[in-house]
Amino acid sequence: MKNSTKESVDTISFKNLRRLYLFALLTIAVAVILSQLLIQYNLKRQLSDSRIINISGKQRMLSQKLVKEILILNFLTDTTQKKQGIYRINETAQLWKFTHYALVNGNDSLGFPKEKSNLLARLYVAVKPNFEKIIGSTTLFLENIKQHRNQKENQKLVQTILDNQVVFLSKMNEIVDEYDKEALEKVTLQSKTEYAILAFTLLVLLLEFLFIFKPTNHKVEKLISKLLFSEKKALKLAHDTEILSEIKENSVKELKSLNYAMENTLLYCRVAPNGSIIHIGEKFSKLLQYNAFVSDKIFSHALTPIEKEQQIIDRILLEKQRTGWQGEINITNRNEQSIWLDLSMVPVTIKKEESELLIICFDITERKNAQEEVERLNTENITDKINQQKVISSKIVENQEKEQNRIAREIHDGIGQMLTGLKFSLESINLEDKEKSALKIDYLRKLSLDIIKGVRTATFNLMPPELSDHGINSALAKLTQELSKLTGKNILFYNKTNFDQRLDSLIEVNIYRLTQEAINNAIKYADSSHIIVQLSHSNNLLSITVDDNGKGFDVIASEKMRNSESGMGLLFMKERIQYINGRVFFNSIPNEGTRITFNIPI
C-alpha cells in the first residue's frame, strides 16, 4: 500500500515537472523567435538604410562628375570628342536623375521606402530647386553644343551649374548626415530591445533551473542508482552462460566464414601426392565444369582434357610436391576455350608422414587477353608511325628540293642576270667619254642596289638576320612587314605582352618557320585579305596565334587525309613543334576563318 501511494505521488510530481518543463521551453522558444523576427526586421531596415546612405553619397559624386564632364565638353573643339562627351553627360545625368527621384519618391526595386521623416522631407524640398536648375541648365547647354550656337550663354549656363552644384553638395551632405543619424537611432533601439529579450530569456532559464532541472536531477539520480543495482545482479547471473555461448558462436562463425570464403571466392583444391583430388572448391569446379562426385579423378584430368597439357601438369606435381611451385599455365577447358591460371602449389603436412598439396589459382584470362590486345595495338601503332615517318621524310626531301630549286632559280634568273649586266656595263665604260660614263655609272649604282636587294631577299628567305641578331620578336615583325609588302595582304603583328627575351637558337628557328608556314598557308590556300599574328607569354609559356579571315577548312577531315597537301601541312606543323616540346592547336570554321596557336614552354 505504501509503495503504490509513493509511486502515485512520484507520477504526479513528474507530471507537474513535465508541464513546467514544456512551459519553460515554449517561453524560451517564443522569446528566441521574437528575437529572430526583430533581428531580421531591423537587418532589413539597416540594409535599406545603408543602401540609401550609399546612393545619397553617390549622388554627390555623380553631380561632381556631371560638372566635370560639362567643363571638359565646354573646352573641346573636336567633333568626335564632343559627341562622346555629350553621350557621357546624358548617361551621367540620366543616372543622377533616376537615383535622385528614387531617393525622393521611393523605389521598390532598389528597396527605398516612400515614407520619410519630416526633416528629410524638408531637406529634399530644399535641395529640389538646385537639382532642377542643374538639370535644366545641363539640357540647354547640351542643345547649344549640338547646334553650335550662343557660346556666351553657355558660359552663363556653366556658371549657373557650378553655383547650384556647390549648394546641392552642401544640402546633400545634410541629407546624408540625417540618414546616418536616423540609422544610428534605429540600431540603438534594436540593441536595447535585444538586451531586454536576452534578460528575459536568462530569467526564464534561471527559474527553469531552480524549479525544474534541479528537482528532476534529484529524482533521476535516485532512479539511476536503483537501475544500476538491478543491472549488476542481472549481469552476474548471465555472465557464465554468455561466455560459453560466445565461444561456441564465434567458433561456428569463423568456420562458416572460412568455408564460405574458400568455396566461393578462391579457386582452390586439395590434392594428394599421387595427384588425386581430395577436395575441390565450388567456384573452381564450376570454372572447370568438373563434377565433384566423380570417382577416380586426378587433378590434371580435372583441369583439361588435352593430353599434352595433362602431362605438363603431372610433371609439375611430381617434381615440385615437396618444394612447392608458383607460375602461370595455359589450359583448354571442355568447351575448347583457352584459360590462363596463376597457380600456386603449397605442400601441407597433416600428420606425421602424411601430407597433401594445397593448390590456389587465380583466373587471369582477361588480363592475358588484354596484354595480347595491347601488344597487337602497339605493333600496329609502331607500323603506322614508321609509315608516317617515311611519308614525312619523303615530303621533307621533296620540299627541300623544291626550296633549293627555287633559290637556285631566283639567284640564276634574278641576281645572276643582274651580275652579268653589271659585268657588261663595267666593260663598256669609256672613261674618255665622261658624259656617257657618268650615265653608265649612275645606272650601275641602281643596278648594284637591285643586286643588294635581291641578295637580301634571298638571304631573308633562307635565314633572316633579325632572327639571329635580335630574336624572335624582331624576326616576326620583319616577316609580317615584308610579306605584307610582297603580297599586298594586310598582315599585322602584335607583341601583346612586350616579350623581348632571347631563346635557344633551335627554338627560335622552329618558331619562325612554324609562323612562316602558317602565314604562307593563309596566303596560299585560305584566300584571306587580313592576317593577324599575336605573340604573348607567361612565366613558363610562349604563345603565338595566327588568325586569318579566309575560307577556313574542316580540321578533322584534313587530319584524316594525310596524303593530301593540307593534311601533310598540319602533320608537318605537329612534327616540327614536337622537336621543341611544344603543342599546336587548329581551330577553323568554313567560310569564316582559321586560328592556329603555337604554345612553346620557355
Side-chain angles (χ1 to χ4, degrees), residues 267 280-290 302-303 331 333-335 337 339-341 361-365:
L267 304 176
I280 186 169
E282 184 178 349
K283 188 174 181 181
F284 202 8
S285 63
K286 287 181 181 179
L287 177 67
L288 301 176
Q289 299 177 349
Y290 167 73
L303 281 181
I331 62 172
N333 66 7
R334 285 166 178 76
N335 292 334
Q337 294 176 337
I339 299 175
W340 279 92
L341 296 176
C361 301
F362 295 95
D363 186 359
I364 58 172
T365 306

Side-chain angles (χ1 to χ4, degrees), residues 56 59-60 63-64 67 96 100 122-134 158-177:
S56 301
Q59 283 295 90
R60 295 179 296 183
S63 66
Q64 291 173 332
V67 171
W96 190 43
H100 183 80
R122 290 197 300 272
L123 289 173
Y124 275 118
V125 170
V127 82
K128 182 178 178 181
N130 303 107
F131 173 79
E132 292 179 347
K133 194 69 176 177
I134 294 173
V158 169
Q159 186 60 43
T160 301
I161 291 170
L162 289 172
D163 294 339
N164 283 274
Q165 194 252 355
V166 173
V167 180
F168 177 82
L169 288 176
S170 175
K171 293 180 178 180
M172 281 305 298
N173 284 336
E174 295 179 9
I175 291 173
V176 172
D177 291 340

Side-chain angles (χ1 to χ4, degrees), residues 109-126:
S109 62
L110 296 176
F112 294 170
K114 295 180 180 180
E115 297 79 12
K116 297 178 182 63
S117 65
N118 293 330
L119 180 57
L120 281 173
R122 290 197 300 272
L123 289 173
Y124 275 118
V125 170

Side-chain angles (χ1 to χ4, degrees), residues 308 310-321:
K308 186 178 291 185
Q310 292 174 355
Q311 292 174 357
I312 296 172
I313 296 167
D314 288 336
R315 188 176 69 251
I316 294 173
L317 288 174
L318 180 62
E319 295 176 354
K320 304 295 182 180
Q321 60 179 284

Side-chain angles (χ1 to χ4, degrees), residues 524-543:
K524 186 176 180 182
Y525 303 112
D527 194 21
S528 57
S529 59
H530 289 75
I531 302 169
I532 298 175
V533 181
Q534 299 182 76
L535 184 148
S536 61
H537 78 290
S538 61
N539 290 336
N540 54 5
L541 190 71
L542 178 67
S543 181

Side-chain angles (χ1 to χ4, degrees), residues 62 69 126 160 337 377 392 400 411 429 513 551 585:
L62 288 175
E69 290 174 350
T160 301
Q337 294 176 337
L377 292 175
I392 292 173
Q400 287 177 344
I411 294 174
I429 291 176
R513 292 304 181 197
K551 57 187 179 182
F585 301 94

